[in-house]
Amino acid sequence: KLVPAMQDAAKWVGDNVEFHAPSGTAKGTKGVVRVLDKAVEVSVDLPFMLKMMKGTIEEKIQEKLQTLL
């Protein structure tokens, strides 16, 4: 399940979910979630203003993945 704010800004392309944040606090963020046979890979490109929070954002993504997998 996607974050509600990202529902309209994400689409499935094969086994991947491509997303972008056109507005809000994450504006300019884009990335892809790859669903593999035995793994899930998450790649996020942060805009300049959010790069200073990279570590915190990575931790939150890891926490969310742990609860989902």
Side-chain angles (χ1 to χ4, degrees):
K1 186 175 177 180
L2 296 171
V3 175
M6 299 293 281
Q7 286 295 126
D8 296 329
K11 64 179 178 179
W12 280 96
V13 179
D15 290 335
N16 302 330
V17 176
E18 296 176 355
F19 63 89
H20 71 283
S23 61
T25 56
K27 183 178 180 178
T29 301
K30 59 185 174 181
V32 63
V33 178
R34 292 178 188 82
V35 180
L36 307 171
D37 288 336
K38 296 184 180 185
V40 175
E41 293 178 353
V42 179
S43 175
V44 180
D45 182 26
L46 298 171
F48 178 76
M49 294 301 291
L50 290 178
K51 287 189 189 275
M52 67 181 87
M53 297 179 61
K54 180 183 174 190
T56 302
I57 293 167
E58 286 177 341
E59 287 177 18
K60 294 295 182 186
I61 291 170
Q62 288 291 336
E63 289 173 9
K64 187 65 173 177
L65 285 173
Q66 291 301 316
T67 63
L68 294 173
L69 301 177

